[in-house]
């Protein structure tokens, strides 16, 4: 949620920043509504104060045995006026909050305007592997190697689902173990959160109300689309001690999303589905530390990709390609030889105080003073459903085998994956 004071004091700044996202809300209309809302709120507070004063005076007169008929008449009049004022305030509060809830975060000043066509490649690490033979795509490789069963996955749950089998399941689990082990050794607290969350959790994360229809519903709960949605709520409504910051967490969860892939080449296999595994990193940081925290998260994601021996690049997203709750996002993208293109395996984002305002998450400065909103940051560390295709395609060999990255072999995997016997 944006700071309403910023909208009041710097409406042009807010408007120009949101236009980078191709969002153009009616700021003048909101300012008129906001003025009426504040006037109504002041009236309610004044009438409540007056009624308390009259009620106290009536009580004193009764204790003294004095008449209070006139004051009681005044109290009844005030009660009626207060009821009308509260009704007026409620009528204004709804649209006032709805306007604020619908606003996305302001992109940072150094974030380019426009959509993904304006994304900026920050760096390219390594070079595409020179295979020396026509690259086979990950779908064909998973079938030949017996790693993923798409047919039976669809039979169990429908399109957009798959089953990891044999060495495929072992490879998936090795990736998760390797990531979790690396992040825990770096000082991140391991969390296994619930997969079913409340509406308040989605609201704090910035996904609701706008994207409430894009999640899987289970009664009054929803299945988390990413562990970020759970982790940002760990300290909802809390005021932390500055000396506790940064708070750093790592979580493993499946992610459940309504959107999935298609039969297009770029969406086939495990690249996009309704359920996939992800290790998520999250930080609660002081505002002055959040830029450095984002770069630290980015370095962690890149290090993991590099350890897998994968050619990749880092892209800074343009404003229109950033999630609504975030102010700045870097994507780590791996190369897929069969597509001749990159696929994102980690998004590293800084929400500034946007999520903290929605969730009421503050910290108390060590030297005293008013509580301050924290900054929240998240990063995939990493998503495995796109790493598996990249590993298979970048490490494939002419004889149909695939070399297993050395860092994963300690989890019980062979040095080489070989085609399954018929």
């Amino acid at each position: 949620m944006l700071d309403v004071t910023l909208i009041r004091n710097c409406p042009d700044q807010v408007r120009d920043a949101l236009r980078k996202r191709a969002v153009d809300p009616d700021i003048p209309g909101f300012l008129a509504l906001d003025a009426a809302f504040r006037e109504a709120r002041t009236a309610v507070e004044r009438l409540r104060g007056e009624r308390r004063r009259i009620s106290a005076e009536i009580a004193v007169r009764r204790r003294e045995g004095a008449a209070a008929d006139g004051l009681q008449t005044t109290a009844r009049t005030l009660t009626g006026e207060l009821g009308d004022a509260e009704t007026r305030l409620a009528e204004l509060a709804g649209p006032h909050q709805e306007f604020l809830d619908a606003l996305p975060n302001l992109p940072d000043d150094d974030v380019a305007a426009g959509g993904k066509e304006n994304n900026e490649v920050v760096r390219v690490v390594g070079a595409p592997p020179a295979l020396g033979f026509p690259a086979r795509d990950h779908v064909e490789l998973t079938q030949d190697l017996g790693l993923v069963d798409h047919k039976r996955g669809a039979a169990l749950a429908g399109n957009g689902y798959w089953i990891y089998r044999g060495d495929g399941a072992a490879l998936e689990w090795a990736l998760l173990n390797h990531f979790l082990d690396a992040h825990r050794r770096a000082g991140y607290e391991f969390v296994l959160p619930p997969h079913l969350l409340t509406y308040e959790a989605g609201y704090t994360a910035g996904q609701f109300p706008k994207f409430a229809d894009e999640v899987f519903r289970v009664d009054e709960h929803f299945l988390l689309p990413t562990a970020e949605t759970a982790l940002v709520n760990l300290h909802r409504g809390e005021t932390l001690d500055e000396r506790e910051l940064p708070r750093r967490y790592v979580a493993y969860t499946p992610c459940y999303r309504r959107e999935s892939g298609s039969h297009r080449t770029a969406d086939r296999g495990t690249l996009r589905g309704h359920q996939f595994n992800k290790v998520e990193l999250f930080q609660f940081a002081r505002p002055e530390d959040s830029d450095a925290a984002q770069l630290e998260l980015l370095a962690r994601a890149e290090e993991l990709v590099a350890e897998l021996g994968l050619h990749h690049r880092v892209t800074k997203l343009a404003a229109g390609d950033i999630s609504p709750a975030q102010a700045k996002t870097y994507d780590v993208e791996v190369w897929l030889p069969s597509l001749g293109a990159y696929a994102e395996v980690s998004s590293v984002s800084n929400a500034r105080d946007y999520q903290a305002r929605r969730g009421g998450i503050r910290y108390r400065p060590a030297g005293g003073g008013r509580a301050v909103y924290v900054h929240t940051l998240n990063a995939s560390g990493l998503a495995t459903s796109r790493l598996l295709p990249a590993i298979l395609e970048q490490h494939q060999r002419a004889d149909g085998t695939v070399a297993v990255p050395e860092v994963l072999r300690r989890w019980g995997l062979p040095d080489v994956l070989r085609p399954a016997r018929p």
Side-chain angles (χ1 to χ4, degrees), residues 249-271:
Y249 298 101
V250 57
Y252 157 69
T253 65
C255 302
Y256 307 93
R257 301 187 182 179
R258 283 195 174 276
E259 64 167 4
S260 68
S262 67
H263 294 294
R264 295 186 307 120
T265 302
D267 285 343
R268 294 179 64 218
T270 63
L271 289 176

Side-chain angles (χ1 to χ4, degrees), residues 172-221:
E172 177 80 356
W173 210 244
L175 286 166
L176 296 170
N177 275 318
H178 175 59
F179 300 157
L180 289 168
D181 182 62
H183 298 317
R184 291 181 69 194
R185 285 189 282 106
Y188 284 75
E189 181 183 342
F190 187 20
V191 175
L192 288 175
H195 296 186
L196 287 170
L197 303 176
T198 64
Y199 181 91
E200 289 77 13
Y203 177 82
T204 295
Q207 293 160 351
F208 296 169
K210 185 173 183 179
F211 302 105
D213 293 333
E214 297 184 10
V215 297
F216 287 106
R217 292 281 184 178
V218 181
D219 297 325
E220 298 301 315
H221 297 77

Side-chain angles (χ1 to χ4, degrees), residues 394-422:
Q394 290 199 37
H395 294 317
Q396 63 181 298
R397 297 170 171 177
D399 63 358
T401 63
V402 172
V404 175
E406 185 175 352
V407 293
L408 301 180
R409 296 173 192 171
R410 71 186 180 107
W411 304 105
L413 284 163
D415 294 355
V416 176
L417 299 175
R418 303 182 184 281
R421 294 180 180 178

